[in-house]
Amino acid sequence: MTARTLYEKLWASHLVREEADGTALLYIDRHLVNEVTSAQAFEGLRIGGRKPWRIDTVLATADHNVPTTAARASGIDDPISRLQVDTLDANCRELGIRQYGMLDPLQGIVHVIGPELGATLPGMTVVCGDSHTTTHGAFAALAFGIGTSEVEHVLASQCLLTRKLKSMRINVTGRLPTGITAKDIVLAVIGRIGTAGGTGYAIEFAGPAIRALSMEGRMTVCNMAIEAGARCGLVAVDDTTIRYLEGRPSAPTGDAWAQAAAFWRTLASDADARFDREVTLDAGEIEPQVTWGTSPEMVTRIGGRVPDPSREADPVRREGMRRALSYMGLAADTPIAEIRIDKVFIGSCTNARIEDLRAAAEVARGRQVADTVRQALVVPGSGAVKRQAEAEGLDRIFVAAGFEWREPGCSMCLGMNDDRLAAGERCASTSNRNFEGRQGAGGRTHLVSPAMAAAAAIAGHFVDVRHF
Amino acid sequence: MRAFTTIDGLVAPMDRANVDTDAIIPKQFLKSIKKSGFGPNLFDEWRYLDIGEPGQDCSTRPENPDFVLNQPRYRGAEILLARENFGCGSSREHAPWALDDFGIRVIIAPSFAEIFHGNCFKNGLLPIVLAPATVSRMFRETEDIEGYRLRVDLATETITTPLGDRIPFTVDPFRKDCLLRGLDDIGLTLRHEADIRDYERRRRAVEPWLFG
């Protein structure tokens, strides 16, 4: 048998049928649902007189709209947000869908709770009406973000209509230096290949620096595969994967566990598998990353400077850089470490897991948020992460340092609730997108790792966490 | 779904790369549970001088006169000319819903983000990929010739310019067929119900833990 990539194995094992023109029906094992992209899909199902195909594969939670203050116990004030959350509740009740509603102790960001519950397993296909579904690829699951029409399609047929992708392997060689995290790896990758570099590809992240990452680090890397344009990111199964999953509530048990674990270990690219494109990065050369513009590819190292558009040869790129600097209120050649910030956001499906909070707390311990920083938010990714952090005393470290300790949700990553930037405010954020207006109309986002965000909160400007 | 055959439409040039879905339809407008009504908030942050919130009457809001779609010569455009990686970012289908509700039927760009590209086809919008040099030429012509229109014929996969040039394009054959006939994906897929059931039986034998 010819050598196959991990992507090819997962593709083949989910192929229901493939037409001569390459259009394929791919079977879906796990369907994650949120409040923002599902209401119209459920409505479409009702109008079409169709029933969900396999309700046991669906798992729902409200994450985008939910307030993160303790006041949420008394409900959502914003009537439009409330209607969306209530609509999800009603749809789940009507169809018997397993849901972790806003006040459930296990509620959280869908891409945090899926893995946490063991609802994401190796060898699965996972879809969700959210582009950051790429996160679940860390488990060697083929995981795609889909639109609302596709949410309805998967509900009705358990299948996704799609085409086979090309394959890219990103090899991260060497050892990650102290103070450098999964977030820095993935930002460096996007800086290298660009925000459209992965378009048309499934990206497998490989190499010793990826193998050395925890599952949480691998999730951070796969989470941002979409920011490189890729529909999915993947990491092969190894001992780290199996250890993470054992004992999770929805993971198989007993004989089924042994059988599953043995099967999962086959989920890696064969040694001589061929990829359509290979990219290699040396982990040893990665430094803490900070974005300076309005696209995740506009990124540099903490020791760097804001680039000068006049040195860019390509006219479309040059104009894009000029526009980004104007929006960001930055002058060319400004040292990154001299950029002062107004707010800090530690959270999101990229960086709101327990290891992220530990890394940030380690920096914040015994220090104070700078007077010039108006707000520093820590928003755990789930109820389980929040309780674990509280058991370890991380909440007390944050609060003593001047951070706000919040309830779980997507929060200021996209500001669909009240957690937003005001126009002109500058934020050190552990989220995934620095697009114009993403965190609030006119808000200015710089993407960094949790440790770098915490250090910026203390210093009031970006600072190299390795020497902090 | 509404069918797409041909269109003869006014062209508006959106001359920036990496236009993302947060720009196309900002998040505060994603709270609707309907598919319609997003048009007045298309490109909200670029289009208006104030900050947009759901439920406003957009007809009384101050428009940004510099924004391309507000310029008199581009009012009523049905074809959007764009740059690389149009539609990057989130999977929100509200982006094509907003473009459609505004009146855009065709988007021409050197490349699209994949999720957005797929979402267009499912809503009767036609995204067309052309070579960067061809797109750049269209940008020049659009700016030089007021009232620049293109005729887009999906059946023959050709665009005809006012100068008489005929530019070929290609569309995935399955997507083309669905658009031309206005077919609903779900109905098509459910014709293969027996195949899906067969697949489930085979798979259950290999990975039984996935079928509780």
Side-chain angles (χ1 to χ4, degrees):
Chain A
M1 201 165 173
T2 51
R4 294 187 300 169
T5 65
L6 171 56
Y7 172 72
E8 285 165 342
K9 291 180 187 183
L10 294 169
W11 174 265
S13 66
H14 290 85
L15 198 58
V16 173
R17 54 179 290 137
E18 190 168 18
E19 309 300 333
D21 68 3
T23 307
L25 270 187
L26 209 62
Y27 191 81
I28 301 303
D29 299 310
R30 176 66 68 204
H31 189 178
L32 305 169
V33 168
N34 66 37
E35 78 277 26
V36 178
T37 54
S38 67
Q40 295 89 343
F42 286 115
E43 180 69 9
L45 213 58
R46 266 192 290 274
I47 291 168
R50 290 169 174 140
K51 294 251 173 296
W53 186 280
R54 251 188 84 192
I55 213 71
D56 63 306
T57 63
V58 185
L59 188 157
T61 194
D63 53 9
H64 283 62
N65 266 318
V66 298
T68 57
T69 55
R72 81 184 193 182
S74 53
I76 304 177
D77 285 341
D78 173 5
I80 311 175
S81 286
R82 189 170 62 231
L83 176 63
Q84 209 166 50
V85 172
D86 288 349
T87 303
L88 178 63
D89 286 346
N91 283 322
C92 289
R93 260 197 316 275
E94 181 191 328
L95 296 169
I97 291 170
R98 173 179 168 199
Q99 198 210 173
Y100 299 93
M102 183 172 73
L103 301 178
D104 191 294
L106 294 175
Q107 176 269 345
I109 305 173
V110 72
H111 308 308
V112 175
I113 71 170
E116 197 170 79
L117 294 166
T120 301
L121 296 173
M124 276 184 165
T125 40
V126 179
V127 295
C128 177
D130 187 287
S131 60
H132 291 110
T133 309
T134 53
T135 310
H136 308 266
F139 293 85
L142 198 53
F144 305 109
I146 58 176
T148 298
S149 295
E150 290 171 317
V151 170
E152 184 182 340
H153 190 277
V154 175
L155 283 169
S157 69
Q158 211 57 40
C159 291
L160 187 67
L161 258 175
T162 187
R163 302 176 76 85
K164 197 172 176 188
L165 298 164
K166 292 181 287 183
S167 61
M168 182 189 305
R169 180 160 58 188
I170 296 183
N171 301 289
V172 188
T173 59
R175 265 185 65 181
L176 211 54
T178 308
I180 309 299
T181 67
K183 183 65 164 286
D184 301 303
I185 294 180
V186 73
L187 284 172
V189 166
I190 296 164
R192 167 82 77 86
I193 70 171
T195 46
T199 303
Y201 290 93
I203 296 181
E204 180 174 344
F205 295 96
I210 299 293
R211 295 259 71 86
L213 290 175
S214 67
M215 286 315 295
E216 298 195 359
R218 295 175 189 182
M219 282 188 255
T220 299
V221 171
C222 288
N223 173 275
M224 288 189 72
I226 184 70
E227 307 324 324
R231 278 302 288 281
C232 59
L234 287 167
V235 176
V237 169
D238 61 8
D239 290 342
T240 305
T241 324
I242 306 281
R243 269 199 305 271
Y244 177 95
L245 288 166
E246 191 161 15
R248 300 263 160 197
S250 295
T253 54
D255 290 347
W257 167 260
Q259 190 190 355
F263 175 79
W264 293 339
R265 286 186 189 279
T266 67
L267 298 174
S269 290
D270 296 330
D272 42 358
R274 289 173 59 95
F275 290 81
D276 297 303
R277 186 178 171 197
E278 298 235 26
V279 174
T280 300
L281 256 82
D282 179 357
E285 290 179 3
I286 299 175
E287 295 183 48
Q289 302 284 301
V290 183
T291 64
W292 51 265
T294 52
S295 163
E297 70 185 14
M298 294 174 166
V299 63
T300 188
R301 59 198 174 80
I302 177 67
R305 290 169 182 267
V306 175
D308 183 349
S310 68
R311 290 196 286 267
E312 170 61 50
D314 178 81
V316 175
R317 285 179 67 91
R318 184 165 60 234
E319 193 46 39
M321 288 168 72
R322 284 214 178 96
R323 211 177 329 235
L325 292 193
S326 162
Y327 180 86
M328 293 296 288
L330 291 172
D333 288 324
T334 305
I336 297 294
E338 288 179 12
I339 300 173
R340 304 195 67 80
I341 54 160
D342 306 304
K343 285 189 174 173
V344 174
F345 172 61
I346 298 174
S348 86
C349 58
T350 313
N351 279 132
R353 298 180 181 82
I354 190 67
E355 292 170 14
D356 299 316
L357 302 191
R358 284 179 192 144
E362 196 50 44
V363 172
R365 185 191 300 273
R367 291 171 160 146
Q368 283 299 314
V369 171
D371 291 343
T372 51
V373 171
R374 289 175 208 148
Q375 186 178 44
L377 285 183
V378 185
V379 185
S382 71
V385 169
K386 180 167 188 270
R387 282 188 300 282
Q388 175 68 30
E390 287 170 353
E392 296 178 19
L394 306 185
D395 58 323
R396 293 192 293 280
I397 295 173
F398 285 123
V399 170
F403 290 83
E404 295 176 37
W405 179 245
R406 294 293 189 91
E407 298 296 319
C410 298
S411 181
M412 205 194 276
C413 174
L414 85 169
M416 278 191 75
N417 65 358
D418 292 335
D419 308 335
R420 296 185 198 180
L421 299 182
E425 279 185 333
R426 189 181 299 286
C427 183
S429 178
T430 67
S431 55
N432 40 57
R433 290 190 175 133
N434 51 351
F435 297 158
E436 286 187 24
R438 170 81 177 179
Q439 294 191 288
R444 295 162 171 167
T445 303
H446 295 267
L447 304 176
V448 288
S449 73
M452 285 287 287
I458 307 297
H461 55 85
F462 292 107
V463 60
D464 191 336
V465 72
R466 293 171 300 178
H467 314 301
F468 189 62
Chain B
M1 188 179 73
R2 183 188 60 210
F4 185 108
T5 51
T6 60
I7 189 171
D8 184 331
L10 184 70
V11 182
M14 176 138 304
D15 196 2
R16 50 168 95 192
N18 297 312
V19 170
D20 59 75
T21 54
D22 280 84
I24 297 172
I25 183 80
K27 69 261 169 186
Q28 62 269 39
F29 306 108
L30 306 187
K31 298 179 186 181
S32 166
I33 56 170
K34 296 186 294 185
K35 286 188 180 184
S36 57
F38 295 100
N41 299 111
L42 176 74
F43 295 116
D44 197 277
E45 287 178 21
W46 295 343
R47 192 164 148 200
Y48 301 101
L49 295 170
D50 62 346
I51 290 181
E53 288 299 336
Q56 282 167 312
D57 174 6
C58 291
S59 65
T60 60
R61 293 175 60 195
E63 284 188 346
N64 174 4
D66 296 332
F67 180 61
V68 62
L69 296 177
N70 289 336
Q71 293 170 21
R73 61 181 288 191
Y74 299 124
R75 296 265 178 186
E78 292 174 280
I79 299 175
L80 192 67
L81 194 56
R83 296 288 189 185
E84 285 80 5
N85 202 27
F86 188 86
C88 60
S90 88
S91 67
R92 63 187 71 161
E93 204 155 314
H94 313 67
W97 293 338
L99 286 159
D100 179 61
D101 197 50
F102 180 83
I104 300 292
R105 307 296 308 281
V106 176
I107 307 156
I108 299 172
S111 61
F112 290 90
E114 282 175 56
I115 302 178
F116 175 82
H117 188 253
N119 282 343
C120 283
F121 285 109
K122 294 178 197 310
N123 291 282
L125 268 72
L126 177 61
I128 298 176
V129 177
L130 293 178
T134 310
V135 173
S136 289
R137 194 176 79 221
M138 285 183 171
F139 267 100
R140 281 196 302 276
E141 291 177 358
T142 305
E143 278 152 33
D144 291 350
I145 305 170
E146 192 150 346
Y148 186 84
R149 301 174 74 84
L150 291 172
R151 182 179 163 76
V152 178
D153 184 339
L154 178 57
T156 61
E157 294 174 300
T158 47
I159 298 172
T160 310
T161 76
L163 306 175
D165 293 333
R166 287 170 63 84
I167 299 164
F169 65 91
T170 56
V171 176
D172 175 282
F174 174 74
R175 287 285 153 226
K176 177 179 168 179
D177 187 48
C178 289
L179 264 188
L180 284 171
R181 298 159 63 190
L183 292 178
D184 160 15
D185 281 358
I186 299 178
L188 291 174
T189 296
L190 289 176
R191 290 185 313 185
H192 303 303
E193 187 173 338
D195 288 346
I196 303 170
R197 301 273 177 220
D198 275 353
Y199 170 85
E200 286 179 325
R201 274 190 288 278
R202 290 197 309 274
R203 183 89 185 293
R204 187 191 282 268
V206 184
E207 295 169 75
W209 56 88
L210 296 179
F211 296 83

